[in-house]
Every structure is written in structure tokens, then in C-alpha cells.
Amino acid sequence: MFNKVAIIGLGLIGGSIARMLKKKHQSVHITAYGRKPENLHNALKEGFIDDVASIDAIDCNDVDLFIVATPVLSSIAIIKSLLDDPHLKSSALIIDAGSVKQSIIDSVIEHQKAHQFVGCHPMAGSEKSGYTFSTHSILTGAWVIITPHKKNNDDDIAIIKKFWELLECKIHITDAVTHDRMVASTSHFPHIVSTVLMESFFAINKENNPSDIQPFIGKGFKDMTRLAGGSPDMWSDIVLLNNTNIIAVLEEYIQSLIKVKHKIQQASLHNDRNALCRYFEEVQKKWIKYHA
Ligand code: NAD
């Protein structure tokens, strides 16, 4: 396994990887790179990393594995600069954690060292961001999607698969196009719905004082709007880079909203409680399938 690891972006995901990696492979040497290395001293004190340095001075010498865990647009620039670095070992691998995969691959595929980059997406995390919220447990049992591209070789994919398995993750391997299409509906769509729910809620209640609304807010509302608290920086990159898939999902959603509005209008007009009950039963059956 890797002896010298560099993590670029020691936030929620980078920090969680550092914690789990140190737990599983104590002799590994981890250097964390950040825009403000002085902010990473806590991680150094806690012993989850061995060194900190500025992102502007990445030392590629001897590094076996680079983990790029920054928002996706910045990851693209960082991965390119690592591949360009003359000190990058020929055996070194670069992985990322980005929530969008095809645009990253497109941006490096013509590079002569493109085979050294393996796209990864840990399906772990939360609406929180930053190292403070990192924990090794978010990786335990989480799926990691690995998206090999045409220049990768099977041995490197096998090594990266083993790496994530060491961190107690489950692996799914697929192409980047499939990944981006799937996460548009399973991850990006819920984030947007949560955000729009929050926005509409404020528009609907614009005449009310927040303190007057508070007694009416239950757990359901908090559950449904939790994701809206996610990092705007991270989400802007994701939405921009996966816009086509996200827009397709939203088109479907808008149609569903129109249909349910019509259903409610019709049921109310005809006092047809059964029609509503049938609708909720159908959806509940689907819900049970996914939550079993
Ligand atoms: P985070 O905000 O907690 O951490 C991001 C890190 O990148 C921070 O250390 C930040 O200082 C650094 N950073 C931000 N902008 C930068 C820039 N322009 N240049 C260099 N460094 C920069 O975010 P996170 O949740 O750890 O997300 C990191 C990556 O993992 C993203 O690509 C995201 O799409 C992906 N991801 C996030 C989640 C999640 O639920 N949060 C889940 C899976 C994958």
C-alpha cells in the first residue's frame, strides 16, 4: 500500500480520509496541502497528518498517492498541475473525491500521464463542510464509485479499489457518464429540491417574522431542508459541471409537481379521498423498496 500520501484540501472529505487512513495504516506519512496551511495545525496536533504545506508549493517527490478533495473546478486545475509536475513519480497515482466525474476526465484525458489519474467519488458526507466536521465514520460502509477512463490500466484500478476497501468502503466501478447521470438524480437533485424548498418557504412566509414561524417548524421541515445548508462553493461547481443531467431531472420533477397539483385539485373537486390514498400508497410502496 502507499507509504507517502498527499491530501490536497483537508476539508470534510479530505479530513475524513486522513483520519481513517491513519487509523488503518499507522506508518503512512500524510502531508496536507491547503490555501491557508496555518488552519491545518489542529489536524497536525491530533496526529491525523504528519505535515502541512501551502497548496502553492506541492512537493511531488516520493509521493505515492495524491488525494484531491477540493471543489470540482479547483480539482481540475490541481490534477492538471500534478500531472504536469516533472517530479511526479511514474508509479504515483492521483485520485479525487469530486461529485462530478466526466468533466474532470475530459480535462486530463489528452495528457500524456492521464493514466495516473483515477476518478473516484465517495458517496459519503453531509451538508457540513470543513475539517472540523470530518470523521472517519462517514466512510465506514459508504459506497465509493470508481470511474476508470480509457487510459487507466487494470492494475492501477485494482490498487485504488484496495485503498478504498482499506478505509472500509464498498466499491462500485462504472463509467463517468453513468456516474454523472445517476448522481444527478440521487444526490444533486435532492440538494436542489432542498434549496428550492427553503427558498419557497421564505417567499411564502415573507410577511411573517421568523420568531412567529418557529413554533410551526417540525422535524419534517428540518429533514427536508437539511441539505440546503451545504457549501455554496462546492455546489456551484457541481451544478455547473453536471448541468445537462440535472436539468433533465428537473424537467421530470416539474412535470411531477404539475401532475400532483392536478391530482389534488381533481380529488378536492370530486371529494375523492380514494384517489389521493391510491397515489400515496403507490409512492409509499416505492419508498419501502428503497428503504428496505
Ligand atoms: P469542504 O469544503 O469540507 O473541503 C474542501 C477543501 O478544499 C477545504 O480544505 C478548502 O479549503 C479547499 N478548497 C476550497 N476551494 C479551494 C480552491 N479553490 N483551491 C484549493 N483548495 C480549495 O468540502 P468537502 O465536502 O470535503 O468536498 C470536497 C470534494 O468532495 C468536492 O469535490 C465534493 O464535490 C466532494 N464530495 C463532497 C461530499 C459531501 O457530502 N460534502 C460527498 C462526496 C464528495
Side-chain angles (χ1 to χ4, degrees):
M1 200 40 76
F2 308 104
N3 295 317
K4 218 171 162 202
V5 169
I7 300 181
I8 298 124
L10 199 76
L12 180 76
I13 299 294
S16 301
I17 293 173
R19 286 168 188 271
M20 193 57 146
L21 186 55
K22 269 287 177 194
K23 188 169 140 91
K24 294 287 178 177
H25 181 24
Q26 277 132 22
S27 63
V28 71
H29 183 282
I30 304 178
T31 304
Y33 290 96
R35 290 173 297 180
K36 291 186 183 156
E38 64 277 13
N39 291 351
L40 306 178
H41 282 133
N42 257 356
L44 204 54
K45 264 197 261 161
E46 289 170 342
F48 296 116
I49 54 171
D50 302 283
D51 262 328
V52 296
S54 164
I55 201 165
D56 300 322
I58 297 179
D59 180 7
C60 287
N61 285 296
D62 299 329
V63 177
D64 302 304
L65 177 69
F66 294 86
I67 301 165
V68 182
T70 55
V72 193
L73 277 171
S74 42
S75 294
I76 290 177
I78 293 165
I79 295 163
K80 276 186 181 167
S81 75
L82 291 173
L83 291 173
D84 282 340
D85 195 308
H87 300 292
L88 180 75
K89 283 203 302 187
S90 59
S91 60
L93 291 174
I94 303 167
I95 61 173
D96 76 318
S99 310
V100 182
K101 299 267 66 89
Q102 188 61 49
S103 47
I104 301 186
I105 291 174
D106 287 347
S107 68
V108 301
I109 198 69
E110 296 309 328
H111 199 287
Q112 59 172 15
K113 298 185 206 160
H115 60 281
Q116 291 184 254
F117 169 70
V118 178
C120 299
H121 179 197
M123 299 296 294
S126 77
E127 78 284 8
K128 304 275 194 296
S129 46
Y131 173 78
T132 318
F133 294 100
S134 66
T135 150
H136 71 275
S137 61
I138 64 165
L139 292 168
T140 309
W143 284 103
V144 171
I145 318 288
I146 302 177
T147 57
H149 58 74
K150 62 181 183 189
K151 298 218 173 138
N152 284 137
N153 69 63
D154 292 348
D155 288 349
D156 288 340
I157 300 300
I159 291 170
I160 295 304
K161 181 170 177 279
K162 262 198 184 151
F163 168 77
W164 288 111
E165 282 170 350
L166 175 75
L167 305 191
E168 295 188 6
C169 298
K170 298 182 287 186
I171 311 302
H172 182 75
I173 298 181
T174 188
D175 60 282
V177 170
T178 306
H179 167 276
D180 289 359
R181 186 170 38 79
M182 293 306 294
V183 293
S185 69
T186 62
S187 167
H188 308 168
F189 171 52
H191 179 80
I192 289 170
V193 171
S194 183
T195 302
V196 173
L197 200 62
M198 199 67 231
E199 190 200 18
S200 305
F201 171 78
F202 274 103
I204 292 160
N205 288 293
K206 59 181 178 294
E207 309 296 337
N208 296 319
N209 284 325
S211 59
D212 294 336
I213 307 170
Q214 205 63 41
F216 298 95
I217 294 182
K219 190 167 177 300
F221 182 79
K222 286 184 181 161
D223 286 349
M224 292 289 292
T225 52
R226 179 178 62 80
L227 298 177
S231 156
D233 211 19
M234 181 179 101
W235 279 103
S236 309
D237 286 8
I238 294 172
V239 172
L240 205 59
L241 294 178
N242 203 21
N243 68 82
T244 310
N245 287 314
I246 292 172
I247 288 168
V249 172
L250 287 180
E251 297 286 7
E252 186 73 36
Y253 182 54
I254 291 164
Q255 292 311 312
S256 299
L257 280 178
I258 292 169
K259 269 192 226 155
V260 75
K261 185 178 126 187
H262 182 70
K263 222 178 260 296
I264 294 169
Q265 283 170 332
Q266 288 302 305
S268 306
L269 194 64
H270 304 292
N271 198 20
D272 189 356
R273 180 185 179 278
N274 286 343
L276 286 177
C277 204
R278 274 197 305 279
Y279 170 70
F280 287 120
E281 270 171 8
E282 273 166 31
V283 178
Q284 190 194 45
K285 271 187 204 147
K286 291 173 187 155
W287 178 86
I288 289 167
K289 235 184 181 172
Y290 279 95
H291 288 76

